[in-house]
Amino acid sequence: MQDRRISQPSKEFQMQVLVRDNNVDQALRVLKKKMQREGVFREMKQRRSYEKPSERKTRERSEAIRRARKLARKQAIREGLLPAPPKKKLPERKPPLPETTSKERAQPMSTAGQR
């Protein structure tokens, strides 16, 4: 017998996205967003090349420190110990077009050229 190792998808890594009204583009966007949140793209990028165990430990340790600092910073902001960061200013949007009624759409725009 040959020893074959075929990676079976485990329950914890399976993702499911529903396609509604044959809208595959929207389903793809949802799938990409889920994969981004789960860190799939980041892990794929890391696995492109071999990472030594010592480098992996160092990276994981620095990531844990970064997460702890971020959590402490957010908690301090919530408790009022630190000022909240300034909110980003959104670009101004164009004003909406004036609404036209069905009567205005049915009438010709201008009769100035007629005699």
Side-chain angles (χ1 to χ4, degrees):
M1 270 191 166
Q2 290 181 349
D3 182 33
R4 291 186 185 181
R5 294 184 182 185
I6 300 173
S7 61
Q8 296 291 326
S10 63
K11 289 284 183 185
E12 61 185 328
F13 293 112
Q14 286 183 351
M15 284 188 207
Q16 185 175 13
V17 176
L18 299 175
V19 180
R20 296 185 185 134
D21 300 327
N22 288 331
N23 193 351
V24 178
D25 292 333
Q26 192 246 348
L28 253 175
R29 281 195 304 270
V30 170
L31 178 65
K32 284 182 180 179
K33 194 181 291 183
K34 281 185 176 186
M35 291 172 73
Q36 182 72 35
R37 277 195 214 119
E38 293 292 322
V40 174
F41 295 124
R42 194 164 168 236
E43 187 175 341
M44 284 170 46
K45 188 177 178 182
Q46 285 175 350
R47 288 182 182 229
R48 283 185 190 149
S49 59
Y50 178 73
E51 185 178 26
K52 290 170 42 178
S54 61
E55 291 173 349
R56 181 176 168 211
K57 286 177 189 173
T58 306
R59 178 183 50 82
E60 288 176 350
R61 195 175 299 130
S62 65
E63 287 175 357
I65 291 169
R66 198 175 306 122
R67 278 193 309 270
R69 282 184 185 154
K70 184 176 181 180
L71 186 69
R73 185 172 56 246
K74 285 191 171 196
Q75 191 172 359
I77 290 171
R78 255 187 258 121
E79 292 173 357
L81 300 173
L82 288 176
K87 293 190 177 183
K88 293 181 182 177
K89 207 173 196 181
L90 296 176
E92 292 186 28
R93 299 177 92 184
K94 294 180 182 177
L97 295 173
E99 294 186 27
T100 57
T101 61
S102 58
K103 289 180 183 178
E104 290 174 351
R105 278 186 242 138
Q107 293 177 353
M109 293 296 282
S110 171
T111 56
Q114 298 176 353
R115 288 191 178 193

